[in-house]
Amino acid sequence: MAATKVGHALAKFLRIKLEYRDPLGRQDVTRGESAFSLSSADPYVEEEPSTVEVIKEFVPTPRAIGHYVYHLFPFIHWIGRYNLQWFAGDLVAGITVGCVVVPQGMAYALLASLPPEFGLYSSFMGLLVYWPFATSKDITIGPVAVMSTLVGNIVIKIQKTDPDLPGFVVASALSVIAGSIILALGFARFGRIVDFISLPAISAFMTGSAINIATGQVPALLGITTVKTRESTYKVIINILKHLGDSKIDAAMGLSALVMLYIIRYACVHAAKRLPGQRRLLFFVSTLRTVFVILLYTMISWLVNRNRRKKPLFKILGTVPRGFKHAVVPTINTRIVKLFLSELPATVIVLLIEHIAISKSFGRINNYTIDPSQEMVAIGITNVLGPFLGAYPATGSFSRTAIKSKAGVRTPFGGPISAVVVLLAIYALTAVFFYIPSSGLSAVIIHAVGDLITPPNTVYQFWQVSPLEVFIFFAGVFVTVFTNIENGIYTTICVSVAMLLVRFLTAQGRFLGRVKVHSVVGDHHPHAKDSGAGKRPDALSPEHATVNTRDLFLPIDHKDGSNPEIHVDSPSPGIFIYRFSEGFNFPNANHYLDYLTKTVFAHTRRTDPFAYGRPGVGEPERMLSSHADPHFVQDRPWNDPGPRKGHEEDHTDRPTLKAVILDFSSVNHIDITSVQLLIDIRNQLDRWAAPDHVEWHIACLTNRWTKRALVNAGFGYPTPGSPHFARWKPIFSVADAGGSDSAATVAEHRDNEKIQRRRSEAQRSGSATSADKVSEDFSKDITKSNAYAKGGRVTVVQGLNRPCFHIDLTSALQSAIQNVELKDEATVIDGKDLIDEP
């Protein structure tokens, strides 16, 4: 109590109006609806949300903290149910992936401008560390082509300015810093930020990067050493064509290896179609084609170069040290971080895009859901811990993930099994790696990244779905090809965000009209008089004329694709229904409301045709008061000169503005700017309808904070002080508290319509006494109706204190029409009283 008094005193001192709006003129909700709510339905007053509620949502409870910690280690959820059947699937998939990742890892390390052993270290740590934190059973963490290319660009750039700094030191520091950023995002549960990057943007980035990487590997494939492969893709292509004559015997090894990889792949695919029973065996043959080709060409290389180790006939991999020779604490200082700071955003984006996109895709394919935030934690920890054994930045691999999924992996534990295979390679096969042809590794890289290029059919599907987004795709590809991968990444993201903003800024509202629709089963109306084949469903039996008829609200301009032959009726003269299409916030509020006022002014006339009696420079202050003299003549505003003398336009065929219904079905949150603009438009339309006030009804509101904002802006209830405020009557939607399947639900709608018709007939008869009598008997009629005769408890759906907020457009329109009729009736009665006065 003391705190409340202090707060009120402080507000008074600061001149803060605690009662910013007076919803009902300081009157209780007792204007006709109280009898209804107390005698025929349980009352319900909606409470506004408070700031305390929001704070409670963000302050974690002990239970929430325990839940958070528990979900940081997803393996706890399934490790207790691990069995031999799962282990068998993980064993096969793990060995398969392990065999594939060894040659790929060494090849990708060369892309990163690092010795080949660093690819093995990265593969081992990615496979070993990821699985306890994983929510995806299919994803495989390790070196990938795009990330390796970025690391290679950074290493080469830094070594030009600081040649004494080893490349692996830079790569390790980059991994720790990027991993820490991603780990922090994961701990903060910001996994949804990846959703800002659209599918065309991801496809463009992958396609452009694949073209860039494949092009850069062609010189090594052909044995050309005079081409700079780190330049822009188009320059690399031009230089390759210039130096084709410099090709060496490496070309024979590389091209034949590349051709063999594709031959084995397509042969297995074709054979699987003809031999369905051998499909699994053929899958493993196709999967291990990389291992087979590398072993074959390594054996050929050994036969050719075993006696010429110092001067091999073609370029070979060379010495690969046994074990973890670079296992040290990563060196991280401001000097090193400053060297790659400009490339850090691109590194983080690539790590996130590849991993989250691949894991989501395979989760949908295999019917499980991943947690993007937890995947950030997993990939962050992997990249933070990996450099302690010599790893460089690693993320999810598309090709190895596909292999792992098709091999039948059951749990994330397939990762450690693959790590064992890599560990054996690090300690037992390094002598064999000496003779691997470099051109063969280039063939492996080109073959792997070829799957990352978006097929033309997919681009065509993009065009069918959203032609504008295809430009995002081509913009990203072209920028990557003509500049570099980093610029391609930034371009696709910026263009995607720009297109989203433009779409949001130019969102077009729609004016809706009412259509009576009927249900049709096939080509027969269920209640037609003649249901024979070929009969049109235009003849309804009288007893079923309204049973299957319902109101549907369609755009009046038919721009939603509805049949233009259907005549859409205006809701009612002077009543407009306006639907927001894509939210209602400060970027698009002006665009929405400008169109609203423009259309309203074009289809209605000013209520007082003599409001402007003479030209002037502005509107008088009396327009700001609801108690102004209605016979006061205003000055015409300078920007509304009106028609010339003798050319006056006759708009008497247009109705006056009565009510506006806003459809908020696509609106969740609103902000201060949009609310203020809505207030301005309300005042503008009130001036247009003066001396009357425009009724505002809002339908399909689902957010309590949005309701609170609108209520504080003066919406949700009739305008106090209007001439007919005392005669205003609400219409509430009610429902059986027992549920939607109760007997009262069906009967309520029918009986309410009957009661409303009686009220309308009485009002149109011109008798005020009759209209008031029907209003007094309203609650009695409802109580006696079938809707409430079933013994069920009935209550209102939305609060009695918000009578202008409606559950749907139908109830909003009913309320608007009823009160317009009451106003018209009151105007007629008031006019008669004025005439009868002596």
Side-chain angles (χ1 to χ4, degrees):
M1 181 65 69
T4 303
K5 290 182 178 179
V6 171
H8 282 276
L10 183 62
K12 185 176 181 181
F13 176 75
L14 297 175
R15 297 184 179 181
I16 297 176
K17 297 180 180 180
L18 297 179
E19 297 294 336
Y20 177 62
R21 297 289 177 184
D22 188 8
L24 298 173
R26 298 193 178 276
Q27 299 181 23
D28 295 330
V29 187
T30 57
R31 302 182 320 284
E33 73 274 16
S34 60
F36 163 73
S37 62
L38 295 177
S39 64
S40 58
D42 291 349
Y44 169 66
V45 176
E46 184 176 351
E47 296 182 0
E48 291 185 351
S50 63
T51 309
V52 176
E53 293 181 32
V54 178
I55 295 174
K56 286 182 178 179
E57 290 180 2
F58 287 95
V59 175
T61 62
R63 180 183 178 86
I65 294 174
H67 185 270
Y68 173 83
V69 174
Y70 176 72
H71 280 80
L72 285 178
F73 304 95
F75 80 98
I76 299 175
H77 307 171
W78 54 265
I79 197 68
R81 302 191 305 274
Y82 201 77
N83 52 59
L84 289 176
Q85 185 178 2
W86 287 4
F87 177 73
D90 292 343
L91 182 64
V92 173
I95 293 175
T96 305
V97 171
C99 294
V100 174
V101 76
V102 170
Q104 281 193 354
M106 291 188 293
Y108 292 152
L110 299 178
L111 271 180
S113 299
L114 299 173
E117 61 267 20
F118 286 93
L120 297 177
Y121 303 156
S122 298
S123 301
F124 174 77
M125 289 301 292
L127 295 167
L128 183 66
V129 176
Y130 170 72
W131 76 273
F133 310 96
T135 60
S136 170
K137 70 179 181 66
D138 299 300
I139 198 78
T140 301
I141 300 295
V144 296
V146 180
M147 191 69 251
S148 298
T149 303
L150 283 179
V151 172
N153 293 339
I154 294 171
V155 169
I156 292 174
K157 175 184 174 182
I158 292 176
Q159 287 186 335
K160 288 181 179 179
T161 59
D162 197 342
D164 296 330
L165 188 63
F168 71 88
V169 173
V170 176
S172 296
L174 178 64
S175 179
V176 172
I177 299 299
S180 299
I181 294 173
I182 296 173
L183 184 61
L185 293 174
F187 281 145
R189 289 312 194 227
F190 285 166
R192 296 299 178 188
I193 63 174
V194 183
D195 294 336
F196 280 100
I197 304 174
S198 63
L199 178 59
I202 295 174
S203 300
F205 150 70
M206 300 296 284
T207 300
S209 300
I211 295 173
N212 180 289
I213 294 166
T215 303
Q217 289 302 303
V218 171
L221 184 78
L222 301 177
I224 303 173
T225 58
T226 54
V227 175
K228 295 180 180 180
T229 59
R230 298 291 174 173
E231 293 183 321
S232 300
T233 303
Y234 79 99
K235 291 183 179 179
V236 175
I237 294 174
I238 293 173
N239 291 328
I240 289 173
L241 296 176
K242 286 181 179 180
H243 296 88
L244 275 178
D246 298 335
S247 301
K248 300 176 182 177
I249 195 171
D250 299 70
M253 300 290 289
L255 289 175
S256 60
L258 183 60
V259 171
M260 184 175 292
L261 287 169
Y262 279 106
I263 288 176
I264 296 174
R265 175 180 178 176
Y266 288 118
C268 290
V269 172
H270 182 70
K273 295 179 180 178
R274 299 189 62 181
L275 303 171
Q278 304 298 322
R279 183 169 297 173
R280 186 165 180 80
L281 175 62
L282 292 168
F283 161 73
F284 284 107
V285 172
S286 177
T287 297
L288 298 175
R289 64 186 181 275
T290 301
V291 180
F292 170 74
V293 169
I294 289 296
L295 289 177
L296 174 62
Y297 280 80
T298 301
M299 185 178 67
I300 295 173
S301 175
W302 176 74
L303 292 173
V304 172
N305 298 311
R306 59 180 175 174
N307 296 322
R308 46 193 310 167
R309 290 171 59 95
K310 294 183 178 180
K311 291 184 179 181
L313 187 62
F314 43 81
K315 188 177 180 181
I316 58 177
L317 192 60
T319 302
V320 177
R322 182 173 180 268
F324 296 93
K325 300 299 183 181
H326 301 278
V328 294
V329 177
T331 302
I332 302 175
N333 51 49
T334 55
R335 168 174 163 261
I336 296 177
V337 173
K338 285 181 180 179
L339 293 174
F340 59 71
L341 190 60
S342 60
E343 285 82 8
L344 188 58
T347 302
V348 173
I349 291 171
V350 171
L351 289 173
L352 289 178
I353 286 179
E354 287 207 65
H355 183 88
I356 302 298
I358 293 170
S359 57
K360 279 186 176 181
S361 175
F362 281 90
R364 286 189 291 265
I365 291 172
N366 295 311
N367 196 28
Y368 65 87
T369 304
I370 67 139
D371 182 354
S373 298
Q374 182 57 32
E375 289 299 313
M376 284 184 172
V377 172
I379 194 174
I381 291 177
T382 300
N383 282 281
V384 169
L385 298 181
F388 286 87
L389 286 183
Y392 68 91
T395 187
S397 166
F398 177 80
S399 60
R400 296 194 297 272
T401 300
I403 291 171
K404 190 176 181 182
S405 176
K406 292 180 181 178
V409 69
R410 299 301 182 89
T411 69
F413 193 70
I417 296 174
S418 299
V420 172
V421 176
V422 177
L423 188 64
L424 290 174
I426 292 174
Y427 279 96
L429 298 177
T430 53
V432 178
F433 297 156
F434 180 87
Y435 291 100
I436 295 178
S438 296
S439 57
L441 291 178
S442 295
V444 169
I445 294 174
I446 294 173
H447 182 67
V449 300
D451 293 332
L452 301 180
I453 298 176
T454 305
N457 182 61
T458 303
V459 179
Y460 175 72
Q461 295 299 326
F462 289 167
W463 177 266
Q464 292 292 95
V465 174
S466 179
L468 283 177
E469 291 188 89
V470 176
F471 292 103
I472 298 177
F473 175 81
F474 284 112
V477 173
F478 288 151
V479 171
T480 303
V481 168
F482 288 97
T483 57
N484 53 50
I485 294 176
E486 294 92 328
N487 290 341
I489 294 171
Y490 298 142
T491 298
T492 54
I493 293 176
C494 291
V495 174
S496 296
V497 173
M499 190 170 292
L500 178 65
L501 290 176
V502 169
R503 184 177 296 169
F504 193 69
L505 286 168
T506 59
Q508 185 68 57
R510 292 281 182 265
F511 283 93
L512 308 181
R514 183 167 52 174
V515 176
K516 291 287 185 181
V517 297
H518 313 278
S519 298
V520 175
V521 180
D523 60 348
H524 299 106
H525 195 288
H527 300 295
K529 291 182 179 179
D530 188 351
S531 59
K535 298 296 184 180
R536 294 171 58 86
D538 52 2
L540 298 179
S541 56
E543 62 272 19
H544 299 299
T546 60
V547 172
N548 280 328
T549 301
R550 63 187 185 278
D551 285 337
L552 187 67
F553 295 91
L554 297 177
I556 295 176
D557 55 11
H558 289 286
K559 288 187 177 180
D560 63 335
S562 57
N563 191 343
E565 294 183 4
I566 297 175
H567 176 68
V568 180
D569 295 325
S570 174
S572 185
I575 298 178
F576 295 85
I577 302 177
Y578 190 61
R579 172 179 291 167
F580 300 111
S581 59
E582 293 189 38
F584 181 59
N585 298 98
F586 70 92
N588 57 15
N590 262 316
H591 185 73
Y592 274 133
L593 298 180
D594 287 347
Y595 179 59
L596 170 64
T597 54
K598 180 181 177 181
T599 304
V600 168
F601 290 160
H603 291 83
T604 60
R605 58 181 171 85
R606 188 180 290 274
T607 303
D608 183 2
F610 305 105
Y612 294 151
R614 57 181 179 268
V617 294
E619 295 190 14
E621 292 296 327
R622 79 102 181 171
M623 290 303 300
L624 302 177
S625 172
S626 59
H627 304 289
D629 180 7
H631 302 291
F632 186 87
V633 180
Q634 308 172 48
D635 289 344
R636 180 177 288 277
W638 65 272
N639 59 347
D640 183 15
R644 294 182 178 180
K645 189 174 181 180
H647 297 276
E648 291 80 3
E649 297 179 359
D650 183 12
H651 295 312
T652 55
D653 57 324
R654 298 180 185 176
T656 57
L657 179 60
K658 302 295 184 181
V660 175
I661 301 172
L662 299 179
D663 183 357
F664 267 57
S665 56
S666 64
V667 178
N668 188 25
H669 294 282
I670 57 177
D671 49 48
I672 295 174
T673 304
S674 57
V675 171
Q676 183 59 51
L677 289 173
L678 205 55
I679 294 173
D680 295 341
I681 294 301
R682 179 183 61 190
N683 295 335
Q684 184 179 3
L685 295 183
D686 278 345
R687 289 194 292 269
W688 179 259
D692 203 352
H693 286 271
V694 180
E695 280 193 21
W696 290 80
H697 297 264
I698 302 177
C700 307
L701 266 173
T702 57
N703 187 290
R704 294 176 64 212
W705 279 96
T706 300
K707 291 181 182 180
R708 169 176 160 160
L710 292 171
V711 166
N712 280 279
F715 297 92
Y717 40 81
T719 304
S722 59
H724 308 296
F725 176 72
R727 290 187 173 90
W728 189 87
K729 300 292 182 183
I731 290 182
F732 294 102
S733 297
V734 298
D736 190 347
S740 59
D741 296 331
S742 63
T745 304
V746 178
E748 181 229 355
H749 179 70
R750 182 175 63 252
D751 291 325
N752 279 347
E753 284 187 345
K754 186 188 301 181
I755 295 167
Q756 291 301 323
R757 282 198 298 272
R758 290 176 55 193
R759 297 185 68 190
S760 298
E761 291 171 0
Q763 293 164 4
R764 282 193 290 270
S765 66
S767 171
T769 304
S770 177
D772 292 339
K773 182 65 169 60
V774 173
S775 298
E776 293 172 2
D777 294 340
F778 187 35
S779 61
K780 297 180 181 179
D781 290 337
I782 291 182
T783 306
K784 295 178 181 179
S785 70
N786 293 332
Y788 308 100
K790 308 298 181 182
R793 187 166 63 89
V794 178
T795 183
V796 292
V797 177
Q798 292 190 314
L800 298 176
N801 54 333
R802 307 286 181 260
C804 290
F805 290 161
H806 305 277
I807 197 68
D808 58 10
L809 286 175
T810 301
S811 59
L813 182 59
Q814 288 176 348
S815 181
I817 292 176
Q818 169 176 295
N819 285 285
V820 166
E821 291 175 350
L822 285 175
K823 284 183 180 180
D824 293 342
E825 180 68 25
T827 302
V828 172
I829 295 172
D830 293 342
K832 290 181 178 180
D833 292 341
L834 290 174
I835 294 174
D836 294 338
E837 287 181 1

